Amino acid sequence: MSRSVAVVTLGCTRNEVDSEELAGRLAAEGWTLVQDAAEADVAVVNTCGFVEQAKKDSIDALLEANDLKRTGRTQKVVAVGCMAERYGEQLAAELPEADAVLGFDSYTDMSGHLRRILAGERPASHAPRDRRTLLPLAPAARHTSGPAPSLPGHQQVGAPGAGPTAEERTSLAQVAPPSGPRVVRARLDGRPWAPLKLASGCDRRCAFCAIPMFRGAFVSRPPQDVLTEARWLAERGVREVFLVSENTTSYGKDLGDLRLVDGLLGELAAVEGIDRVRVSYLQPAEIRPDLLDAMAGTPGVAPYFDISFQHASGPLLRRMRRFGDRQSFLTLLEQVRARVPEAGIRTNVIVGFPGETEEDLAELTAFLEAARLDVVGVFGYSDEDGTEAEGYDGKLDEATVQERVGRVSALVEELTAQRAEERVGTTVEVLVEALDEDDGRLVGRAGQQGPDVDGVTYLQSADGAVPEVAVGSLVTARVVATEGVDLVAVPCEEAP
């Protein structure tokens, strides 16, 4: 009997890829995908376990889904994703409202798990482990040492490391034509852009970050798999692919070629239907001059640089197990802008890390004042279970952390608004994404603006009317005004 399922996604764009892979698996096994959890037999909540607020949001989403058992069609609520992988049995014990807590290794047989749960079974909750131990220490051995662990978003079929069974081959034909490449994914929205996973995991050991423990060691996807999925997305109306990973600058190191991404950018940009390729999450210590050359010199690659600085005080960065300082970061930004003068640059910073002094904070604010960044995410430090920094001395009290967050956030708001104003009079390429229902304006993103968190561009005609432009179009426009970090632009054929 046909059953319905809703996949609810929390967290980052990497999680969005994982959700669409899960949806593709379930659709291939006969499940009906619905958007509203209230209309689904099962609500699958893809949780985020990155920082404290994300965990709270995930728990709230699970509780809201559980409430639907009384008011909607929903019979069961299942937790998956990073928080389920990271906490497993603990989450199940503290949140009995969830009918199951499943880890990444359950993804390849998610349909079977959900059917058994609907039948009244309660599977054993996921037992967490350090996923870095599942692969060899040497990156080059990770593709040759036998069956791989489950890697969400990598299009694995069947048990990790195994080929598809005959039954899976039959069911997967419902997701992709049997004569074409196999892509295990189903679009859960109609946006003209989509995240595309390059790799999973991370080999860095930043003192504040728990991601490597529950996402595992770094594993690149083969370029052909990435290209196949890009073509599949283009056939479904996607005009921009957003390349995501935990560390894009490491792509290819386990495949024997750190420059693999340089050529891949051109191949992706050449995919029929793809107008723009956007690269995310670059580690400053790993950025190569030839990578900058490839990003700057490849037509179709967005003028966008998502660089994870985290701070600008050299001594504090060493304490974080990171590299760099204010001057080296400013030099890197000069190298970016020498190649791409109109580049959009974003970063995240952590304020209140254990041992942070007022002098460290002054280094950070001096860097921000000089850097002319388009977007800065400001996060207050909080302990993460199992991280090195959890055991550090020099912890700042919560009031001090929040005061510093407020101080830096106010500075960032002023600086990024000024940076947006510098773009007035410039020309941008805008991907039209939707009609804003509140004010009737077309909304999209310039090449310098990443999805969800980097601001938007409003398109209007020279006379203030709504331009006759279809969603999914790439429009050349001139910036005429700003609203905070958001831009207001007029299509060039109309601009004075």
Side-chain angles (χ1 to χ4, degrees):
M1 182 173 60
S2 176
R3 294 288 194 175
S4 58
V5 60
V7 182
V8 180
T9 307
L10 283 296
C12 64
T13 47
R14 299 185 292 274
N15 248 20
E16 290 183 23
V17 176
D18 299 350
S19 286
E20 293 201 344
E21 183 185 283
L22 277 175
R25 293 182 183 278
L26 292 168
E29 294 291 339
W31 289 77
T32 299
L33 303 176
V34 298
Q35 289 189 327
D36 187 351
E39 299 175 0
D41 295 310
V42 184
V44 176
V45 181
N46 190 357
T47 60
C48 178
F50 180 43
V51 293
E52 196 61 34
Q53 185 57 54
K55 296 177 212 172
K56 291 177 181 176
D57 292 344
S58 295
I59 290 172
D60 288 344
L62 287 164
L63 292 174
E64 289 172 11
N66 185 68
D67 288 342
L68 297 176
K69 294 177 185 177
R70 296 190 302 273
T71 61
R73 173 175 173 170
T74 309
Q75 300 175 45
K76 301 292 181 181
V77 175
V78 176
V80 299
C82 292
M83 191 175 183
E85 175 65 38
R86 185 177 180 186
Y87 293 104
E89 296 162 324
Q90 179 185 344
L91 177 62
E94 295 179 4
L95 197 71
E97 291 85 353
D99 296 287
V101 176
L102 303 177
F104 295 149
D105 293 331
S106 301
Y107 282 24
T108 53
D109 186 32
M110 186 58 64
S111 175
H113 287 296
L114 298 189
R115 291 188 185 279
R116 288 188 288 274
I117 292 166
L118 274 175
E121 296 183 25
R122 190 176 183 95
S125 298
H126 170 63
R129 53 182 169 172
D130 189 335
R131 295 189 73 83
R132 292 174 294 189
T133 63
L134 303 181
L135 285 165
L137 186 62
R142 293 172 189 168
H143 293 268
T144 60
S145 60
S150 182
L151 300 169
H154 281 231
Q155 304 292 320
Q156 293 168 305
V157 178
T165 65
E167 182 180 352
E168 285 170 333
R169 289 191 190 97
T170 300
S171 62
L172 286 166
Q174 301 174 45
V175 182
S179 59
R182 186 173 68 248
V183 173
V184 189
R185 183 169 179 171
R187 296 304 315 281
L188 294 176
D189 58 62
R191 300 177 306 195
W193 69 273
L196 175 58
K197 189 169 284 193
L198 276 182
S200 289
C202 185
D203 288 339
R204 301 189 72 86
R205 295 294 180 265
C206 302
F208 53 81
C209 183
I211 288 176
M213 286 185 285
F214 58 85
R215 278 290 184 177
F218 184 87
V219 180
S220 303
R221 291 183 69 193
Q224 192 54 52
D225 289 1
V226 177
L227 285 166
T228 295
E229 192 169 347
R231 295 186 189 102
W232 184 90
L233 290 167
E235 290 168 358
R236 285 151 182 81
V238 169
R239 294 293 169 259
E240 176 185 310
V241 289
F242 184 39
L243 304 182
V244 298
S245 70
E246 274 76 25
N247 179 5
T248 298
T249 36
S250 282
Y251 181 77
K253 73 175 185 178
D254 50 325
L255 297 174
D257 186 358
L258 259 176
R259 291 175 172 79
L260 209 54
V261 71
D262 303 8
L264 180 59
L265 293 178
E267 293 184 83
L268 286 166
V271 171
E272 184 177 358
I274 298 298
D275 295 319
R276 194 157 70 190
V277 177
R278 186 179 300 277
V279 182
S280 74
Y281 215 81
L282 306 173
Q283 283 285 350
E286 297 181 35
I287 293 177
R288 300 171 281 106
D290 42 359
L291 173 59
L292 295 181
D293 291 339
M295 293 178 66
T298 304
V301 174
Y304 178 78
F305 296 80
D306 175 15
I307 305 175
S308 172
F309 290 121
Q310 301 299 351
H311 211 279
S313 164
L316 194 71
L317 283 164
R318 304 302 171 274
R319 190 168 165 85
M320 289 179 170
R321 304 297 184 203
R322 294 178 66 86
F323 302 93
D325 53 32
R326 172 167 49 127
Q327 189 52 55
S328 66
F329 290 165
L330 290 175
T331 299
L332 174 59
L333 294 179
E334 289 175 2
Q335 294 170 351
V336 170
R337 291 186 172 117
R339 292 168 170 83
V340 188
E342 76 280 10
I345 305 173
R346 81 168 327 274
T347 196
N348 294 319
V349 297
I350 297 174
V351 177
F353 189 79
E356 182 188 62
T357 64
E358 283 291 344
E359 289 75 18
D360 293 324
L361 195 66
E363 277 291 290
L364 174 60
T365 56
F367 166 70
L368 294 172
E369 288 168 351
R372 295 172 54 237
L373 300 170
D374 292 82
V375 179
V376 181
V378 182
F379 295 88
Y381 172 81
S382 61
D383 283 337
E384 286 296 315
D385 298 330
T387 60
E388 181 180 350
E390 186 184 22
Y392 279 4
D393 56 11
K395 299 280 178 67
L396 305 181
D397 62 79
E398 182 63 20
T400 300
V401 172
Q402 292 308 313
E403 185 276 329
R404 292 185 179 184
V405 168
R407 202 189 323 168
V408 175
S409 296
L411 174 64
V412 161
E413 184 176 359
E414 178 183 351
L415 293 173
T416 52
Q418 291 173 1
R419 177 65 181 134
E421 290 172 0
E422 293 177 13
R423 297 199 181 277
V424 173
T426 65
T427 300
V428 292
E429 297 289 332
V430 181
L431 179 66
V432 181
E433 296 187 2
L435 178 66
D436 190 315
E437 299 293 343
D438 294 330
D439 59 13
R441 292 187 294 182
L442 284 174
V443 62
R445 285 177 298 109
Q448 293 84 353
Q449 297 169 315
D452 296 337
V453 293
D454 285 3
V456 299
T457 297
Y458 294 103
L459 277 181
Q460 64 184 36
S461 293
D463 60 2
V466 179
E468 295 184 4
V469 179
V471 170
S473 301
L474 198 65
V475 178
T476 302
R478 182 162 303 164
V479 180
V480 296
T482 63
E483 299 177 5
V485 297
D486 297 333
L487 306 178
V488 180
V490 173
C492 277
E493 61 266 23
E494 302 181 21

